[in-house]
Amino acid sequence: MNARLNPSRRNFLKATATLGAGLVVAFVVPGAKRFAQAAPGEAGAVADGFVPNAFLRVAPDDTVTVLIAHSEMGQGVWTTLAMLVAEELDADWTKLRVEHAPAAPPYAHTAFGMQMTGGSTTTWSEFDRYRQAGATARALLVAAAASKFGVPVAQVRTDKGIAIAGDQRARYGELAAAAALLTAPAKVALKDPKDWKLIGHPTKRLDTPEKITGRAQFGMDVQFDGLLTALVARAPVFGGSVKSFDATAAKAVPGVRNVVQVPSGVAVVADHYWAAKLGRDALKIEWDLGPNAALDTPALREQFRTLALTDGTPAAQGGDAKAALSKAARTLEAEYHVPYLAHAPMEPLNCTVKVDGEGCDIWTGTQFQTLDQQVAAKILGLAPEQVRIHTTFLGGAFGRRATPSSDFVSEAVQVAKAAGAPVKTVWTREDDIRGGYYRPMYLQQARIALDDAGKPIAWHHVLVGQSILAGSPFEAAMVKNGIDATSVEGVADSPYIKDLTDHRIELHSPRTGIPVLWWRSVGHSYNGFVMESLVDELAHAAKQDPVEYRRALLQKHPRHLAALNLVADKAGWGSPLPQGQARGVAVHESFGSFIAQVAEVSIDRTPGTHHPIRVHRVVCAIDCGIAVNPEGVRAQMESGIAFGLGAALHSALTFKEGRVQESNFHDYVVLRMDEMPKIEVHIVPSTEKMGGAGEPGTPPIAPAVANALFALTGQRLRELPLRLPAENANV
């Protein structure tokens, strides 16, 4: 993600000319690129004297519209980023409106240089930029008010969208046109944190009314006259291709308009979804299954185990771990395994494409606007600015709508191009589960030497699993010395390992032909499970309390320790539980945030229960630095825990003869409503460097549950999803 964009002033104005009336703001974020400034009265001025701008506009009716450079996929950025603007603008919160920004250079990520949403980066990456946008707009409005009132600027104060000087008052809407004619200051002062009225205060989400009233538009909701619907028949094996096909029966289905071949398969284009579905079912296709027709999960696992016994590429090392282990009087050895996982968002993939003489319009829920725009432009032979991305709400994503290949968007563009008509390409749930880009399968082996007190003194750790960056446009920039950092994150930089004199972390990155991708919390999703389970194993080997053992190991890591101490206190660690219940703990840092969780678990003895492991309560503590919207942070912890519990208890993808065996929620199971535990979230008061909230809640939950099960049954479960041996199912 090292691409850099260089927007010109003219292109900025062209790209934002459709945004409507607004107030021009220009500003510079330290460490980020300069953004274009529109001169008063230039390009795009409309009758009321307003011109478009990058991040906000003030309308005559006093509404303040904030343009969100990132995608809203349930994580709450519509609210968080609007809070940053409103805080510095002194806006009336009831007048705030939010829109997704178009795909345009001014909205490039301040760290990655492309417009995108991911990595739990939105809030910290925009913390300065959006506050400066609000502060700059306020400065212009104050200057306009001072001129109107005939007083010095210093005598004007603002409150809830009103400029005030003595007994004179003017609403922002009344001042916006005059403010738009002024030159923006080169530098603005931001509020002292002690003066914040919004930041740090629990705030209700702005997208909630949109969603509960049905006004919110998701990609699947897009509809207009002349729009057709397509489903694509794809090879049943990854890497397969069409040898030949007979569309006679498909074309006979009422409502089917066309059948076209595209690079990914054969598309049936119809008046509506059901006609396209029946038409696709009627296709007769002969497939060339390609090189992956023998893929088999048990065989892959054995291949990974064989690789683990050989020397891998060093990802982190110090001293001589192998020598130290050979001399150790006491060692712990363990093997862990996690499966392939689908993202399975509630809204399956979809993308609407309309190509006309002026370019191409694309409506979709995407995390990668810039890449999608570039890929679509290349397919159609257009300039990127001729491709207009309309970002809708995302009905979940978890990484799946951020593919480096822009797979579902490029496919939809190919379908519309071949069909010669506007088309919405829709994936069924089965297409989604079997369509690839999975969280990779991993096998890990660890050998750890312990001293007489039970503390680790040497650590050798081998990871075997696919790189999510290999073969992608990001490989050259992000894979260093053969190491995909996302494969080993949470292990190579673990506080338990990096302080040891003797340690060695090795990585094998086999290529299997199965397309893989980041999945909520990426490498931390499996490495958090492995590391926090291993530390629990060490604690029990040392015959020490798991919390006290971690406290001793984390003395040099105060943010880990603060989260651990808070969660232990709030969970009542060490206090009695009802008969048949036990607690487990885990603490893990990811995406700049430090999360500790305690899970309370029992085993359901009810005959015929679909899963015997019951999680009753989860207590979570998070240090994410400044929590802009504590309510949003709590919601994301709850979401991450629920997502991680589904993977901990149920979810797995398996291959047989190259084919994915699971197809829908009946066999690719996620967490059910009746399995949702009581969740309590506590935020560590912190002014430390900001981290993320969307993903860090997921990694600790699986090990917390596994560790509780060990405390309850004495059985150490080293594989996900967690499965109790038959003899313990009725404990």
Side-chain angles (χ1 to χ4, degrees):
M1 300 182 186
N2 67 334
R4 287 291 181 265
L5 303 177
N6 185 26
S8 70
R9 185 160 169 260
R10 182 174 298 278
N11 285 340
F12 161 70
L13 291 166
K14 287 169 61 179
T16 58
T18 60
L19 297 185
L23 170 63
V24 180
V25 291
F27 47 88
V28 178
V29 181
K33 62 203 292 87
R34 289 183 179 272
F35 285 78
Q37 176 183 355
E42 186 176 315
V46 292
D48 57 9
F50 283 40
V51 296
N53 74 88
F55 295 97
L56 67 99
R57 60 180 185 261
V58 181
D61 66 356
D62 300 325
T63 58
V64 176
T65 301
V66 179
L67 281 297
I68 302 297
H70 299 261
S71 305
E72 177 58 75
M73 47 191 174
Q75 81 279 40
V77 298
W78 257 42
T79 306
T80 305
L81 298 190
M83 288 173 67
L84 300 178
V85 167
E87 181 68 74
E88 296 293 340
L89 181 60
D90 275 343
D92 180 349
W93 184 251
T94 66
K95 300 288 188 179
L96 259 288
R97 305 292 183 267
V98 184
E99 294 177 7
H100 281 115
Y107 305 107
H109 195 292
T110 59
F112 299 138
M114 56 178 277
Q115 192 172 347
M116 54 81 67
T117 305
S120 295
T121 62
T122 295
T123 301
W124 67 254
S125 71
E126 300 293 4
F127 190 66
D128 287 339
R129 182 160 72 166
Y130 272 72
R131 285 192 300 147
Q132 286 187 357
T136 303
R138 178 185 175 275
L140 291 168
L141 290 162
V142 165
S147 177
K148 179 181 177 69
F149 299 156
V151 301
V153 166
Q155 291 186 15
V156 180
R157 64 183 178 89
T158 56
D159 182 53
K160 294 183 178 180
I162 299 174
I164 305 166
D167 59 358
Q168 299 186 84
R169 303 164 68 88
R171 304 186 330 271
Y172 282 178
E174 297 175 280
L175 298 169
L181 300 176
L182 302 177
T183 300
K187 187 176 182 180
V188 291
L190 300 177
K191 286 184 179 180
D192 188 297
K194 67 179 175 58
D195 297 323
W196 286 343
K197 298 176 182 177
L198 279 173
I199 296 174
H201 297 272
T203 304
K204 298 296 183 183
R205 288 175 56 149
L206 292 174
D207 56 326
T208 299
E210 299 293 309
K211 292 173 178 176
I212 63 176
T213 61
R215 292 194 303 265
Q217 185 182 62
F218 294 82
M220 204 69 87
D221 297 328
V222 173
Q223 195 64 46
F224 51 82
D225 289 344
L227 180 64
L228 302 176
T229 300
L231 270 66
V232 178
R234 304 172 188 87
V237 173
F238 294 119
S241 59
V242 177
K243 288 176 68 175
S244 64
F245 70 95
D246 181 353
T248 305
K251 290 180 177 179
V253 173
V256 170
R257 296 292 190 92
N258 206 347
V259 177
V260 294
Q261 186 169 353
V262 292
S264 58
V266 179
V268 176
V269 183
D271 290 334
H272 50 79
Y273 170 85
W274 194 240
K277 171 70 167 62
L278 294 178
R280 188 178 68 169
D281 292 345
L283 283 173
K284 296 179 181 178
I285 305 176
E286 184 179 2
W287 298 101
D288 178 348
L289 296 180
N292 301 315
L295 279 172
D296 177 81
T297 297
L300 274 177
R301 184 167 177 170
E302 288 308 310
Q303 291 173 25
F304 283 18
R305 181 174 287 118
T306 300
L307 266 180
L309 300 176
T310 65
D311 290 337
T313 304
Q317 57 186 330
D320 192 336
K322 291 184 178 179
L325 279 158
S326 68
K327 300 173 186 176
R330 189 179 182 194
T331 62
L332 184 149
E333 298 186 19
E335 178 179 290
Y336 280 79
H337 183 268
V338 298
Y340 288 103
L341 292 176
H343 301 76
M346 288 305 295
E347 179 194 19
L349 298 172
N350 62 87
C351 180
T352 296
V353 179
K354 179 183 180 182
V355 183
D356 57 30
E358 297 182 357
C360 173
D361 286 277
I362 296 175
W363 293 265
T364 191
T366 177
Q367 296 175 252
F368 268 7
Q369 285 86 351
T370 298
L371 281 184
D372 294 343
Q373 188 179 48
Q374 292 173 347
V375 168
K378 185 175 181 180
I379 292 170
L380 298 170
L382 299 173
E385 59 266 25
Q386 291 178 280
V387 177
R388 298 170 291 273
I389 304 283
H390 307 274
T391 302
T392 62
F393 282 105
L394 285 64
F398 316 118
R400 180 61 181 91
R401 288 177 158 93
T403 55
S405 64
S406 292
D407 71 309
F408 70 98
V409 173
S410 63
E411 179 184 69
V413 173
Q414 294 280 11
V415 171
K417 180 182 177 182
V423 180
K424 181 196 296 183
T425 299
V426 174
W427 294 48
T428 66
R429 177 65 60 195
E430 289 77 12
D431 294 339
D432 183 63
I433 298 296
R434 292 176 169 169
Y437 293 97
Y438 306 126
R439 200 285 300 275
M441 180 176 84
Y442 264 80
L443 181 142
Q444 300 187 31
Q445 294 181 348
R447 294 183 64 223
I448 307 166
L450 292 77
D451 65 13
D452 292 341
K455 289 186 177 181
I457 53 174
W459 197 305
H460 181 217
H461 197 122
V462 182
L463 301 89
V464 184
Q466 287 173 257
S467 162
I468 61 176
L469 297 174
S472 79
F474 305 135
E475 181 176 10
M478 299 182 69
V479 177
K480 300 297 185 183
N481 301 316
I483 298 296
D484 178 344
T486 68
S487 296
V488 297
E489 59 189 3
V491 176
D493 56 352
S494 167
Y496 304 120
I497 293 177
K498 63 184 181 182
D499 292 338
L500 298 179
T501 300
D502 298 304
H503 64 273
R504 182 177 174 87
I505 312 302
E506 299 176 17
L507 175 66
H508 294 275
S509 301
R511 301 200 180 201
T512 68
I514 300 169
V516 293
L517 186 66
W518 28 66
W519 183 93
R520 192 173 190 172
S521 74
V522 201
H524 295 284
S525 68
Y526 44 86
N527 291 332
F529 166 62
V530 173
M531 289 302 301
E532 280 302 301
S533 295
L534 283 170
V535 170
D536 218 65
E537 292 201 49
L538 294 174
H540 286 283
K543 295 181 171 54
Q544 294 181 27
D545 176 83
V547 168
E548 293 302 325
Y549 188 81
R550 286 174 171 82
R551 283 174 172 154
L553 296 184
L554 294 171
Q555 287 303 310
K556 297 179 182 179
H557 303 276
R559 297 185 74 182
H560 287 84
L561 198 57
L564 177 64
N565 288 338
L566 181 59
V567 84
D569 175 60
K570 297 299 184 180
W573 185 267
S575 63
L577 281 171
Q579 180 75 22
Q581 291 189 23
R583 293 188 183 97
V585 65
V587 55
H588 188 81
E589 181 270 329
S590 64
F591 304 95
S593 291
F594 300 76
I595 316 288
Q597 292 172 7
V598 170
E600 297 178 1
V601 174
S602 71
I603 297 172
D604 189 346
R605 303 186 183 90
T606 305
T609 184
H610 70 281
H611 201 290
I613 299 171
R614 306 297 297 181
V615 182
H616 300 276
R617 178 185 181 221
V618 177
V619 182
C620 174
I622 173 175
D623 173 2
C624 60
I626 297 169
V628 173
N629 184 5
E631 186 163 306
V633 171
R634 293 188 182 96
Q636 282 304 285
M637 291 303 100
E638 294 166 356
S639 169
I641 288 166
F643 192 80
L645 267 178
L649 300 179
H650 302 297
S651 306
L653 286 174
T654 55
F655 288 82
K656 183 178 181 181
E657 296 180 348
R659 292 165 166 81
V660 178
Q661 297 302 290
E662 293 71 29
S663 63
N664 208 313
F665 288 136
H666 70 288
D667 52 9
Y668 185 80
V669 182
V670 297
L671 196 72
R672 309 295 191 190
M673 288 290 287
D674 66 345
E675 296 175 299
M676 187 68 180
K678 177 184 178 183
I679 297 177
E680 302 168 21
V681 179
H682 303 276
I683 299 174
V684 177
S686 177
T687 57
E688 297 289 338
K689 183 178 179 181
M690 290 178 69
E695 297 172 90
T698 295
I701 188 59
V705 172
N707 295 338
L709 288 168
F710 177 84
L712 186 63
T713 69
Q715 179 70 43
R716 178 63 61 182
L717 303 181
R718 299 189 177 113
E719 181 173 345
L720 295 180
L722 300 168
R723 292 287 181 267
L724 288 167
E727 62 269 22
N728 284 328
N730 294 314
V731 169

